[in-house]
Amino acid sequence: MKSNNNTNNTTDISNAEKATQVLVELHEIKKIFYTDDVETHALNNINLTINKGEYLSISGPSGCGKSTLLSLLGLLDNSSSGRYTLAGHDVSDLNRDERSAIRNKEIGFIFQAFNLISDLTVAENVELPLTYRSDFDAKQRAVMVNTALEKVDMLHRADHFPSQLSGGQQQRVAVARAISAKPSIILADEPTGNLDSKNAQIVMALLDQLHQEGATICMVTHDPRSAARAERMIEVFDGKIVADQLSQTPTAIAV
Ligand code: ADP
Ligand code: MG
């Protein structure tokens, strides 16, 4: 039962992808924020193609538009203009409900501040996004939660609460939450920003591992060494992509 559902979910995407292997296509994306009398041009004519299985980093100075770009990619918000195609579907002009339905299926988010819910256990935190899915019953969700927690080596803490865990452990739980439904793309916004270097290494190694297993990952970071662990590095400045190059450091060596 469980594997049928999982297979169906991924098959939808794979069919669309088979033609091109392109997962994400942004065309002339602009994002303007209007606040009282100020107009902020956060993104200016972003063109970006992400292929299935790529691991890319986005870096650039504070305020350059990295998080805005990630939130558009993650369908948390719509662009002001331009076209966004995700797995062959035009998702440029969806309303909030349509965006969250697709987000729930296709996107896994990892945030700098972990964003776990403090009065839910580790297992309940990982399960939460799955409960918004009508296609998984409780039994299937339990299997998915266990599988994801096992992958990040946190199954032994399934009944703990976030406050009982170190920052590194909390972020590993957040990674489990992001991957439990096998999303098409994992979006990480400064995933090691709140961690000491040892725990940062553990989380980075986990992302490397997910990438090697075929996940598509897009990670915002201001740390050049983290950026270089991705196979492709994108630099943003003033809302524009100013560099897009392959990393000198293959992921496998950086582990
Ligand atoms: P970064 O993540 O690179 O630090 P952001 O994407 O958060 O940058 O922000 C890009 C620009 O857009 C900044 O000038 C920021 O102040 C502005 N901005 C971001 N989100 C909003 C918002 N919700 N309302 C108004 N301005 C915003
Ligand atoms: Mg940011």
Side-chain angles (χ1 to χ4, degrees):
M1 271 297 204
K2 176 217 68 171
S3 55
N4 276 350
N5 257 317
N6 282 344
T7 312
N8 285 342
N9 291 335
T10 42
T11 307
D12 288 344
I13 295 304
S14 322
N15 284 342
E17 276 167 12
K18 259 175 204 153
T20 55
Q21 289 296 307
V22 169
L23 183 63
V24 162
E25 218 167 359
L26 299 181
H27 179 70
E28 299 287 306
I29 290 285
K30 288 188 187 183
K31 181 65 179 178
I32 305 170
F33 291 110
Y34 300 93
T35 42
D36 293 335
D37 48 352
V38 190
E39 208 177 89
T40 306
H41 291 248
L43 295 175
N44 287 308
N45 296 326
I46 296 282
N47 291 299
L48 177 65
T49 300
I50 303 174
N51 289 323
K52 187 173 182 284
E54 270 195 309
Y55 181 7
L56 59 101
S57 62
I58 299 176
S59 44
S62 182
C64 72
K66 305 182 295 296
S67 294
T68 303
L69 178 55
L70 216 62
S71 70
L72 294 185
L73 283 171
L75 295 171
L76 289 171
D77 199 358
N78 272 347
S79 63
S80 305
S81 65
R83 210 122 287 284
Y84 176 9
T85 310
L86 175 64
H89 303 286
D90 189 334
V91 294
S92 319
D93 300 311
L94 304 180
N95 64 36
R96 186 182 290 257
D97 288 346
E98 292 167 332
R99 285 203 309 269
S100 43
I102 295 182
R103 189 167 61 239
N104 241 320
K105 264 192 149 173
E106 313 293 355
I107 315 277
F109 266 109
I110 304 166
F111 301 96
Q112 176 172 356
F114 323 136
N115 294 11
L116 300 177
I117 295 177
S118 59
D119 53 4
L120 295 183
T121 65
V122 161
E124 288 165 347
N125 265 283
V126 176
E127 186 182 14
L128 188 63
L130 302 174
T131 62
Y132 299 121
R133 298 273 298 262
S134 54
D135 45 348
F136 304 128
D137 64 25
K139 221 172 173 180
Q140 293 168 325
R141 293 199 303 267
V143 173
M144 294 162 86
V145 168
N146 274 20
T147 306
L149 284 175
E150 209 157 36
K151 176 143 276 190
V152 303
D153 197 18
M154 285 299 293
L155 190 53
H156 60 304
R157 294 284 182 268
D159 296 327
H160 284 58
F161 288 91
S163 62
Q164 299 174 300
L165 306 177
S166 72
Q169 290 176 322
Q170 289 186 55
Q171 193 63 306
R172 276 150 60 195
V173 173
V175 171
R177 179 183 55 187
I179 63 174
S180 62
K182 299 194 190 308
S184 298
I185 185 165
I186 297 167
L187 302 176
D189 198 347
E190 304 271 10
T192 61
N194 283 8
L195 300 178
D196 59 64
S197 60
K198 182 166 165 273
N199 280 302
Q201 276 302 315
I202 293 171
V203 168
M204 290 304 294
L206 198 51
L207 293 180
D208 290 342
Q209 187 197 332
L210 293 171
H211 171 233
Q212 276 155 24
E213 291 168 5
T216 311
I217 303 175
C218 182
M219 171 186 64
V220 164
T221 180
H222 64 260
D223 172 19
R225 281 192 306 175
S226 297
R229 289 179 79 134
E231 62 186 349
R232 178 179 170 198
M233 302 186 296
I234 284 170
E235 267 176 65
V236 177
F237 188 79
D238 265 357
K240 296 193 185 78
I241 293 177
V242 293
D244 183 347
Q245 57 194 353
L246 294 180
S247 168
Q248 304 288 322
T249 319
T251 305
I253 293 172
V255 172

